[in-house]
Amino acid sequence: MTLYHDTLDRLGKDICAGRYRPGQVIPAEPVLCAQLGVSRIVLREAIKGLVSKGMLEARRRTGTVVLEQSRWSLLDQEVMIWRADANGVDLALGSDIMELRRIIEPAAARLAAERASPDELKTLRAAYEAMAAAVDGQGDYVAADLEFHSTIIRACANPFVTQLQSVMSTVLRICFERVAAVPGGRAHSLPMHRRVCEAIEQRRPSEAGDAIIELLDDAERDMRKLLRADPEAFRTPAQTASVAQIQQRADRELDQKNNEEMLEERHDSIALT
């Protein structure tokens, strides 16, 4: 990773984790350069990158301001990765992802049943068989599950939808890892995957769409159950520690800023007297 990308990554994660909140002016260049250990040229390029992603806006006489999340390029792969790395997948992000999957995957499954090539059908069947083997303790279930869904997206032969899948892959992996860890969850979802696979193989678009809706319903129930029982379920220990450290750091900086403002007010008051 280059120094530019490392700086972009660190600032992006800090914004996503809430160290710099919407409406807040990020520290001045000399301060950020010292904190990040980079030159002004590198910092300016990283800030330009975040501006292009809708996360920051340079304002005259104000400084560089963090924008509301609604302004961010949420389908940008780096932004999605930063959100997932900074906070894991909370109920809001998880619900948004499931909603997007409901919009995309049933239609993609129907198209895949019509358009999938013989090689894509073989890949889909191989992914299902790998999931079945993993349920019996042989292989990586999550990797096979991702390949199963990615194959359906590719087989629908729509380049825009295919790009969405690549953007979502990081967050989907986190979701799949946690949901697949539910006791009995893998074995329970396997027949649903089989129905999707068979409907696509047998060129039955309507059944393929219905089967994947059933699968998504089941996955969303498991996800919501996990998040309600444990809001931290979709965070790794490293993510939880990182977010706590960022929040502590932000609190310290806010306290320091408040202290400096109090000292300035006191100085001004003494000067007036």
Side-chain angles (χ1 to χ4, degrees):
M1 182 180 287
T2 65
L3 195 56
Y4 159 75
H5 283 103
D6 180 62
T7 306
L8 181 75
D9 192 62
R10 290 169 67 183
L11 285 173
K13 285 180 181 177
D14 278 354
I15 292 170
C16 289
R19 181 184 182 192
Y20 305 121
R21 298 179 176 85
Q24 181 178 349
V25 178
I26 64 172
E29 277 187 1
V31 177
L32 275 180
C33 287
Q35 288 177 354
L36 299 170
V38 297
S39 68
R40 290 194 176 197
I41 293 174
V42 171
L43 178 64
R44 286 172 184 174
E45 288 303 310
I47 287 174
K48 283 181 186 177
L50 294 171
V51 168
S52 73
K53 296 176 189 295
M55 300 178 77
L56 294 176
E57 182 177 74
R59 296 177 182 172
R60 289 186 64 187
R61 300 180 182 177
T62 301
T64 304
V65 180
V66 179
L67 298 180
E68 295 290 336
Q69 194 178 98
S70 60
R71 302 275 300 276
W72 299 0
S73 300
L74 295 176
L75 290 178
D76 181 286
Q77 191 161 14
E78 287 179 313
V79 175
M80 192 165 280
I81 290 170
W82 294 334
R83 290 183 70 195
D85 284 351
N87 300 312
V89 180
D90 58 17
L91 187 57
L93 178 56
S95 295
D96 288 344
I97 290 295
M98 289 305 302
E99 196 169 80
L100 183 59
R101 292 184 68 191
R102 286 180 182 281
I103 292 168
I104 294 170
E105 292 194 49
R110 289 190 288 269
L111 289 172
E114 297 172 352
R115 301 175 178 177
S117 68
D119 285 345
E120 287 167 337
L121 293 177
K122 287 179 184 176
T123 302
L124 184 65
R125 171 56 65 170
Y128 168 74
E129 296 294 347
M131 292 174 69
V135 168
D136 292 332
Q138 300 176 346
D140 185 337
Y141 183 91
V142 173
D145 198 1
L146 277 170
E147 180 62 16
F148 184 89
H149 290 273
S150 296
T151 301
I152 293 171
I153 296 295
R154 288 195 301 270
C156 84
N158 184 301
F160 297 102
V161 176
T162 301
Q163 285 202 7
L164 281 176
Q165 173 68 18
S166 67
V167 168
M168 292 167 57
S169 62
T170 300
V171 176
L172 287 180
R173 174 174 283 279
I174 296 171
C175 291
F176 286 177
E177 284 172 349
R178 302 303 187 271
V179 171
V182 174
R186 299 180 180 189
H188 175 70
S189 71
L190 194 61
M192 300 180 206
H193 284 86
R194 186 184 68 244
R195 286 194 285 276
V196 174
C197 183
E198 289 175 350
I200 292 173
E201 288 174 330
Q202 295 166 19
R203 307 293 187 184
R204 300 199 302 264
S206 180
E207 289 182 31
D210 291 344
I212 211 159
I213 287 172
E214 180 187 6
L215 183 58
L216 291 172
D217 285 344
D218 187 70
E220 184 164 18
R221 279 193 296 270
D222 282 345
M223 184 195 70
R224 287 182 175 277
K225 194 182 300 180
L226 272 175
L227 284 169
R228 286 195 179 114
D230 178 11
E232 306 294 315
F234 285 73
R235 282 185 186 169
T236 65
Q239 287 167 344
T240 302
S242 175
V243 172
Q245 289 166 0
I246 288 171
Q247 186 59 55
Q248 289 170 3
R249 199 167 43 182
D251 290 343
R252 284 198 302 270
E253 288 177 1
L254 183 60
D255 288 341
Q256 182 179 354
K257 182 181 178 183
N258 290 337
N259 288 336
E260 288 172 355
E261 288 176 351
M262 287 174 62
L263 286 172
E264 286 179 7
E265 288 176 1
R266 189 176 302 169
H267 180 270
D268 291 343
S269 176
I270 292 171
L272 287 171
T273 57

